[in-house]
Amino acid sequence: MDILGATLRVCVDDLEAAVPFYERLAGAPAQRFGRGGVQVAAVGCFLLMSGPESELEVLRKVAATIAVTDVDEAHKTLTGLGADVIAGPVPTPVGRNLIARHPDGSVYEYVDRRTP
């Protein structure tokens, strides 16, 4: 499994107010999309999320998003190492993802950019 990078997940109360700060910090424009009731802005290595507290509560449990070349390969590697895949793989707006709990209890999202 090739890890391409990691994205820090940040839950914010006001996405519109937060985006300009992160765009200046990262030196890049935000890429926006929605997922369920949550509005998301990807800015550099930051993934800003805003929405109903009931949905953000679940999202806060995921420590980071890890980009990989292939989610299926990540699934095989993770389960082989004793991780528990608790969701996915499922399609996303830009590829596929899965959520895994590592043996130490940490929870991460793994994503690829393959066409769903």
Side-chain angles (χ1 to χ4, degrees):
M1 170 178 74
D2 292 328
I3 295 176
L4 305 174
T7 302
L8 305 170
R9 299 164 65 97
V10 182
C11 294
V12 298
D13 292 330
D14 184 343
L15 190 65
E16 296 310 313
V19 165
F21 170 83
Y22 284 94
E23 285 179 326
R24 289 190 303 270
L25 181 66
Q31 297 177 351
R32 297 170 183 253
F33 59 93
R35 179 103 190 225
V38 176
Q39 292 302 309
V40 180
V43 188
C45 67
F46 300 99
L47 191 63
L48 309 176
M49 300 174 286
S50 184
E53 185 56 38
S54 60
E55 293 189 45
L56 292 179
E57 180 181 354
V58 174
L59 295 172
R60 283 188 179 102
K61 295 178 182 178
V62 179
T65 297
I66 300 170
V68 295
T69 53
D70 185 339
V71 163
D72 292 329
E73 183 181 347
H75 186 281
K76 182 178 175 182
T77 299
L78 289 161
T79 56
L81 293 171
D84 180 26
V85 174
I86 55 179
V90 296
T92 72
V94 295
R96 298 172 305 146
N97 79 341
L98 66 79
I99 307 291
R101 182 180 301 110
H102 291 187
D104 65 6
S106 301
V107 178
Y108 295 93
E109 174 187 35
Y110 289 81
V111 300
D112 66 24
R113 291 195 177 255
R114 293 176 54 173
T115 303

